[in-house]
Amino acid sequence: MIAPSILSADFARLGDEIAAVAGTGDTRADWVHVDVMDAHFVPNLTLGLPVVKALLKSTDVPIDCHLMIDDPDRWAIGYAEAGAYNVTVHAEAAKDPVALAKNLRAAGAKAGLSVKPGTALEPWLDALKHYDTLLVMSVEPGFGGQSFIAEVLDKVRTARRLVDTGHLKLVVEIDGGINAETIEQAAEAGVDCFVAGSAVYGAADPGKAVAALREQAARVRAG
């Protein structure tokens, strides 16, 4: 699965930018990844619920909201109620991640839990039994265009093993520095869904970039 990140898109043309990856066949994105940043949990400030609501009206591609915000227990439910397909919160910010996952699901969304590069996975394994997505950050959250941190792939391998043995039931997603040079090692580690920003929106044809990345990952996963 490929989830283009609009953090790398032209914010003056977000509707058009999403349409560029909403075509048919291999050029169609599986999800559109939307980074919500509050300038508190991370130093950057991007967009919030009003913009997400507008995006939801403009496309039928599932919206994957990544909330890099303080107090997600309070704010995340609004994104689920608005119609986001998947709402991901940070383990480092959630006060009660199990209750939050249940509330997100009750509001109609899939629930995702994200961990920063320096956050160990093991303390969150019990909580992840209540989640639909694990988002492993392969850069420090807050800014696009950073270099891929390969060390996080150990967390991907652990999650992949737990999913394959039935201990967890979730999509393993990765976000940060994913491009033609890094997607194959991430796929080999066991990633299901790849968030790609500049690798898609920096291309002349974003739809073709989606197809090329998917083909690379699929070839590795197929062995």
Side-chain angles (χ1 to χ4, degrees):
M1 298 167 60
I2 306 296
S5 171
I6 63 167
L7 187 62
S8 297
D10 181 348
F11 271 37
R13 301 174 51 252
L14 284 182
D16 292 338
E17 294 281 65
I18 291 176
V21 296
T24 58
D26 289 343
T27 64
R28 181 180 174 86
D30 297 279
W31 296 348
V32 168
H33 190 80
V34 178
D35 288 310
V36 175
M37 305 182 194
D38 64 356
H40 294 284
F41 181 71
V42 292
N44 202 1
L45 180 68
T46 53
L47 49 81
L49 186 55
V51 174
V52 170
K53 287 180 176 178
L55 296 177
L56 285 163
K57 292 178 182 178
S58 74
T59 186
D60 62 350
V61 178
I63 298 294
D64 177 33
C65 283
H66 178 193
L67 305 186
M68 297 180 237
I69 63 173
D70 283 341
D71 201 8
D73 304 70
R74 177 182 179 185
W75 299 110
I77 307 306
Y79 292 84
E81 292 174 341
Y85 176 79
N86 188 71
V87 178
T88 295
V89 300
H90 266 268
E92 303 87 357
K95 296 181 180 70
D96 189 339
V98 173
L100 183 49
K102 292 177 179 178
N103 290 336
L104 286 170
R105 286 172 161 181
K110 301 290 186 182
L113 191 69
S114 183
V115 289
K116 293 180 181 181
T119 299
L121 187 62
E122 284 72 17
W124 305 101
L125 293 180
D126 284 341
L128 280 168
K129 294 176 182 177
H130 302 272
Y131 280 84
D132 304 289
T133 307
L134 166 64
L135 176 58
V136 176
M137 292 300 298
S138 43
V139 298
E140 290 297 332
F143 295 93
Q146 298 181 64
S147 297
F148 182 77
I149 301 172
E151 289 77 10
V152 306
L153 293 179
D154 285 341
K155 286 185 274 191
V156 170
R157 294 183 187 99
T158 296
R160 179 82 269 146
R161 184 169 62 251
L162 291 169
V163 171
D164 290 347
T165 56
H167 290 84
L168 293 176
K169 295 181 180 179
L170 46 74
V171 171
V172 181
E173 186 176 10
I174 197 164
D175 180 7
I178 294 298
N179 54 40
E181 285 70 48
T182 58
I183 193 168
E184 293 187 9
Q185 58 183 306
E188 189 173 21
V191 171
D192 299 304
C193 183
F194 305 83
V195 177
S198 54
V200 172
Y201 283 115
D205 187 326
K208 287 184 179 178
V210 167
L213 289 169
R214 182 184 287 115
E215 195 277 332
Q216 271 190 284
R219 185 173 64 246
V220 172
R221 287 295 295 271

